[in-house]
Amino acid sequence: MSNQIYCLNPDCLHPNPDNFQYCEKCGSKLLLTERYIPRSILGQGGFGRTFLATDQYKPSQPYCVIKQFLPQAQGTDTIEKASQLFAQEAQRLEELGK
Ligand SMILES: [Zn+2]
């Protein structure tokens, strides 16, 4: 497991050294909601990208997954629909818990 911190900026994705607060390349904030640290890219598809992350807030800093919404499709209706599906998925995942 590397100690890099991946930049969440979709146009950057620069791997930063551990303990950095801001991306050394684009200046974006590296922690998601002051809590989740993106450690590596797990995959990407039509709806977005997933990162393996660690949860800074808990003492054991457990692993978690960040799903980022980045629809490839064009058109307001399609984006709207994709956004709804993404929100539904987030809700289901929360219900599933672990
Ligand atoms: Zn960056």
Side-chain angles (χ1 to χ4, degrees):
M1 180 73 191
S2 75
N3 284 323
Q4 292 171 334
I5 306 178
Y6 267 85
C7 180
L8 287 169
N9 176 351
D11 298 321
C12 179
L13 298 175
H14 180 70
N16 290 270
D18 203 13
N19 297 326
F20 272 49
Q21 303 272 313
Y22 296 90
C23 177
E24 61 182 353
K25 196 172 163 193
C26 76
S28 295
K29 211 169 195 189
L30 291 174
L31 265 67
L32 178 66
T33 64
E34 315 280 338
R35 174 168 180 180
Y36 304 104
I37 305 177
R39 295 297 189 176
S40 61
I41 298 173
L42 289 176
Q44 56 192 88
F47 278 128
R49 192 174 278 133
T50 52
F51 296 84
L52 180 66
T54 50
D55 183 351
Q56 175 92 328
Y57 186 68
K58 294 182 178 174
S60 65
Q61 303 197 2
Y63 289 117
C64 57
V65 172
I66 296 170
K67 280 200 86 161
Q68 184 177 46
F69 184 58
L70 285 174
Q72 311 265 301
Q74 304 289 320
T76 318
D77 287 355
T78 318
I79 304 282
E80 181 84 2
K81 184 70 193 163
S83 170
Q84 279 173 19
L85 290 171
F86 194 80
Q88 278 174 22
E89 189 192 359
Q91 207 170 353
R92 300 232 169 82
L93 286 171
E94 190 188 9
E95 286 163 14
L96 281 171
K98 297 186 177 182

Short mmCIF file of all heavy atoms in Angstrom, two decimals, residues 1-5 18-19 21 31 34-39 52-65:
data_model
loop_
_atom_site.label_atom_id
_atom_site.label_comp_id
_atom_site.label_asym_id
_atom_site.label_seq_id
_atom_site.Cartn_x
_atom_site.Cartn_y
_atom_site.Cartn_z
N MET A 1 0.85 -1.19 0.00
CA MET A 1 0.00 0.00 0.00
C MET A 1 0.88 1.24 0.00
O MET A 1 1.69 1.44 0.89
CB MET A 1 -0.88 -0.04 1.25
CG MET A 1 -1.82 1.15 1.37
SD MET A 1 -3.14 1.00 0.18
CE MET A 1 -3.87 2.60 0.30
N SER A 2 0.70 2.06 -1.00
CA SER A 2 1.51 3.27 -1.07
C SER A 2 0.93 4.33 -0.15
O SER A 2 -0.23 4.29 0.22
CB SER A 2 1.54 3.79 -2.49
OG SER A 2 0.31 4.40 -2.80
N ASN A 3 1.72 5.29 0.22
CA ASN A 3 1.25 6.39 1.05
C ASN A 3 1.02 7.64 0.24
O ASN A 3 1.06 8.74 0.75
CB ASN A 3 2.24 6.66 2.18
CG ASN A 3 2.11 5.61 3.26
OD1 ASN A 3 1.02 5.16 3.56
ND2 ASN A 3 3.22 5.21 3.82
N GLN A 4 0.83 7.47 -1.04
CA GLN A 4 0.54 8.62 -1.88
C GLN A 4 -0.86 9.14 -1.62
O GLN A 4 -1.71 8.42 -1.10
CB GLN A 4 0.62 8.23 -3.36
CG GLN A 4 2.03 7.90 -3.81
CD GLN A 4 2.04 7.30 -5.20
OE1 GLN A 4 1.07 6.71 -5.64
NE2 GLN A 4 3.16 7.44 -5.88
N ILE A 5 -1.08 10.39 -1.98
CA ILE A 5 -2.41 10.96 -1.91
C ILE A 5 -2.78 11.44 -3.32
O ILE A 5 -2.13 12.31 -3.88
CB ILE A 5 -2.49 12.16 -0.95
CG1 ILE A 5 -1.97 11.77 0.44
CG2 ILE A 5 -3.91 12.68 -0.87
CD1 ILE A 5 -1.96 12.92 1.43
N ASP A 18 2.75 11.82 0.81
CA ASP A 18 1.93 11.76 2.01
C ASP A 18 2.11 13.05 2.83
O ASP A 18 3.15 13.69 2.76
CB ASP A 18 2.33 10.55 2.84
CG ASP A 18 1.20 10.12 3.75
OD1 ASP A 18 0.06 10.58 3.57
OD2 ASP A 18 1.45 9.31 4.65
N ASN A 19 1.06 13.41 3.58
CA ASN A 19 1.07 14.58 4.46
C ASN A 19 0.87 15.91 3.74
O ASN A 19 0.83 16.94 4.38
CB ASN A 19 2.36 14.67 5.31
CG ASN A 19 2.48 13.50 6.24
OD1 ASN A 19 1.48 13.00 6.75
ND2 ASN A 19 3.70 13.03 6.45
N GLN A 21 -1.40 18.72 2.07
CA GLN A 21 -2.79 19.15 2.25
C GLN A 21 -3.40 19.56 0.92
O GLN A 21 -4.60 19.41 0.71
CB GLN A 21 -2.83 20.36 3.19
CG GLN A 21 -2.22 20.12 4.54
CD GLN A 21 -3.23 19.55 5.52
OE1 GLN A 21 -4.34 20.06 5.61
NE2 GLN A 21 -2.86 18.50 6.22
N LEU A 31 -7.88 16.34 0.86
CA LEU A 31 -8.79 15.55 1.68
C LEU A 31 -10.23 15.83 1.27
O LEU A 31 -10.62 16.99 1.12
CB LEU A 31 -8.64 15.89 3.16
CG LEU A 31 -7.69 14.98 3.95
CD1 LEU A 31 -6.27 15.15 3.48
CD2 LEU A 31 -7.82 15.24 5.43
N GLU A 34 -12.52 16.96 4.59
CA GLU A 34 -11.57 17.01 5.71
C GLU A 34 -11.34 15.65 6.34
O GLU A 34 -10.90 15.53 7.48
CB GLU A 34 -12.08 17.96 6.82
CG GLU A 34 -12.62 19.29 6.36
CD GLU A 34 -11.54 20.30 6.05
OE1 GLU A 34 -10.42 20.13 6.58
OE2 GLU A 34 -11.80 21.23 5.27
N ARG A 35 -11.69 14.58 5.64
CA ARG A 35 -11.74 13.29 6.31
C ARG A 35 -11.16 12.13 5.48
O ARG A 35 -10.44 11.30 6.03
CB ARG A 35 -13.21 13.00 6.63
CG ARG A 35 -13.46 11.65 7.18
CD ARG A 35 -14.85 11.53 7.75
NE ARG A 35 -15.02 10.18 8.28
CZ ARG A 35 -16.12 9.75 8.86
NH1 ARG A 35 -17.16 10.53 8.97
NH2 ARG A 35 -16.19 8.52 9.32
N TYR A 36 -11.50 12.07 4.20
CA TYR A 36 -11.12 10.91 3.39
C TYR A 36 -9.92 11.22 2.51
O TYR A 36 -9.91 12.21 1.79
CB TYR A 36 -12.30 10.46 2.52
CG TYR A 36 -13.53 10.15 3.33
CD1 TYR A 36 -14.59 11.02 3.38
CD2 TYR A 36 -13.60 8.97 4.08
CE1 TYR A 36 -15.73 10.75 4.14
CE2 TYR A 36 -14.72 8.68 4.84
CZ TYR A 36 -15.78 9.57 4.87
OH TYR A 36 -16.89 9.29 5.62
N ILE A 37 -8.91 10.34 2.57
CA ILE A 37 -7.69 10.55 1.81
C ILE A 37 -7.63 9.56 0.64
O ILE A 37 -7.51 8.35 0.86
CB ILE A 37 -6.44 10.35 2.69
CG1 ILE A 37 -6.51 11.26 3.92
CG2 ILE A 37 -5.17 10.61 1.89
CD1 ILE A 37 -5.35 11.06 4.88
N PRO A 38 -7.71 10.05 -0.59
CA PRO A 38 -7.65 9.15 -1.76
C PRO A 38 -6.24 8.57 -1.90
O PRO A 38 -5.28 9.31 -2.06
CB PRO A 38 -7.98 10.05 -2.95
CG PRO A 38 -8.37 11.38 -2.38
CD PRO A 38 -7.84 11.45 -0.99
N ARG A 39 -6.13 7.24 -1.87
CA ARG A 39 -4.82 6.60 -1.89
C ARG A 39 -4.44 5.99 -3.22
O ARG A 39 -3.28 5.92 -3.59
CB ARG A 39 -4.76 5.51 -0.82
CG ARG A 39 -4.89 6.03 0.61
CD ARG A 39 -3.73 6.93 0.94
NE ARG A 39 -3.69 7.28 2.36
CZ ARG A 39 -2.72 7.98 2.92
NH1 ARG A 39 -1.72 8.42 2.19
NH2 ARG A 39 -2.76 8.28 4.19
N LEU A 52 -9.61 4.06 -3.87
CA LEU A 52 -9.42 3.47 -2.55
C LEU A 52 -8.95 4.61 -1.65
O LEU A 52 -8.06 5.37 -2.02
CB LEU A 52 -8.38 2.36 -2.60
CG LEU A 52 -8.10 1.67 -1.26
CD1 LEU A 52 -9.33 0.89 -0.77
CD2 LEU A 52 -6.92 0.71 -1.38
N ALA A 53 -9.56 4.72 -0.47
CA ALA A 53 -9.24 5.83 0.42
C ALA A 53 -9.05 5.33 1.84
O ALA A 53 -9.40 4.19 2.16
CB ALA A 53 -10.35 6.87 0.36
N THR A 54 -8.50 6.19 2.67
CA THR A 54 -8.48 5.90 4.10
C THR A 54 -9.28 6.97 4.83
O THR A 54 -9.33 8.12 4.40
CB THR A 54 -7.04 5.84 4.66
OG1 THR A 54 -6.31 6.99 4.25
CG2 THR A 54 -6.31 4.59 4.15
N ASP A 55 -9.92 6.55 5.92
CA ASP A 55 -10.77 7.45 6.71
C ASP A 55 -9.95 8.01 7.86
O ASP A 55 -9.69 7.35 8.85
CB ASP A 55 -11.98 6.66 7.22
CG ASP A 55 -12.95 7.55 7.99
OD1 ASP A 55 -12.61 8.71 8.27
OD2 ASP A 55 -14.05 7.05 8.30
N GLN A 56 -9.56 9.24 7.69
CA GLN A 56 -8.69 9.94 8.63
C GLN A 56 -9.35 10.16 9.99
O GLN A 56 -8.68 10.34 11.01
CB GLN A 56 -8.36 11.30 8.00
CG GLN A 56 -7.57 12.25 8.82
CD GLN A 56 -6.10 12.04 8.52
OE1 GLN A 56 -5.66 10.95 8.23
NE2 GLN A 56 -5.35 13.11 8.60
N TYR A 57 -10.68 10.16 10.01
CA TYR A 57 -11.46 10.56 11.17
C TYR A 57 -11.46 9.48 12.26
O TYR A 57 -11.57 9.77 13.44
CB TYR A 57 -12.88 10.85 10.72
CG TYR A 57 -13.79 11.41 11.78
CD1 TYR A 57 -13.59 12.69 12.28
CD2 TYR A 57 -14.86 10.66 12.25
CE1 TYR A 57 -14.43 13.20 13.25
CE2 TYR A 57 -15.70 11.17 13.22
CZ TYR A 57 -15.49 12.43 13.72
OH TYR A 57 -16.32 12.94 14.67
N LYS A 58 -11.33 8.20 11.82
CA LYS A 58 -11.37 7.10 12.79
C LYS A 58 -9.96 6.72 13.21
O LYS A 58 -9.04 6.75 12.39
CB LYS A 58 -12.09 5.90 12.17
CG LYS A 58 -13.55 6.16 11.90
CD LYS A 58 -14.24 4.94 11.35
CE LYS A 58 -15.72 5.23 11.13
NZ LYS A 58 -16.39 4.10 10.45
N PRO A 59 -9.77 6.34 14.47
CA PRO A 59 -8.43 6.04 14.99
C PRO A 59 -7.69 4.98 14.18
O PRO A 59 -6.48 5.08 13.98
CB PRO A 59 -8.70 5.54 16.41
CG PRO A 59 -10.02 6.13 16.78
CD PRO A 59 -10.80 6.22 15.51
N SER A 60 -8.38 3.97 13.70
CA SER A 60 -7.70 2.89 12.96
C SER A 60 -7.49 3.25 11.49
O SER A 60 -6.89 2.49 10.75
CB SER A 60 -8.50 1.59 13.07
OG SER A 60 -9.75 1.74 12.43
N GLN A 61 -8.00 4.40 11.05
CA GLN A 61 -7.91 4.85 9.67
C GLN A 61 -8.24 3.73 8.67
O GLN A 61 -7.41 3.35 7.85
CB GLN A 61 -6.53 5.43 9.39
CG GLN A 61 -6.20 6.57 10.34
CD GLN A 61 -5.06 7.44 9.85
OE1 GLN A 61 -4.51 7.24 8.78
NE2 GLN A 61 -4.70 8.43 10.64
N PRO A 62 -9.46 3.21 8.77
CA PRO A 62 -9.86 2.09 7.91
C PRO A 62 -9.96 2.49 6.43
O PRO A 62 -10.12 3.67 6.11
CB PRO A 62 -11.24 1.70 8.44
CG PRO A 62 -11.77 2.95 9.06
CD PRO A 62 -10.57 3.68 9.61
N TYR A 63 -9.89 1.48 5.58
CA TYR A 63 -10.06 1.72 4.15
C TYR A 63 -11.52 1.99 3.83
O TYR A 63 -12.42 1.46 4.48
CB TYR A 63 -9.61 0.49 3.34
CG TYR A 63 -8.13 0.30 3.36
CD1 TYR A 63 -7.57 -0.85 3.93
CD2 TYR A 63 -7.28 1.25 2.81
CE1 TYR A 63 -6.21 -1.03 3.96
CE2 TYR A 63 -5.92 1.08 2.84
CZ TYR A 63 -5.37 -0.07 3.41
OH TYR A 63 -4.02 -0.25 3.44
N CYS A 64 -11.74 2.78 2.83
CA CYS A 64 -13.08 3.00 2.32
C CYS A 64 -12.96 3.32 0.83
O CYS A 64 -11.85 3.36 0.30
CB CYS A 64 -13.78 4.12 3.07
SG CYS A 64 -12.89 5.67 3.03
N VAL A 65 -14.08 3.51 0.17
CA VAL A 65 -14.07 3.78 -1.27
C VAL A 65 -14.77 5.11 -1.54
O VAL A 65 -15.82 5.39 -1.00
CB VAL A 65 -14.77 2.64 -2.05
CG1 VAL A 65 -14.94 3.01 -3.51
CG2 VAL A 65 -13.98 1.34 -1.93
#
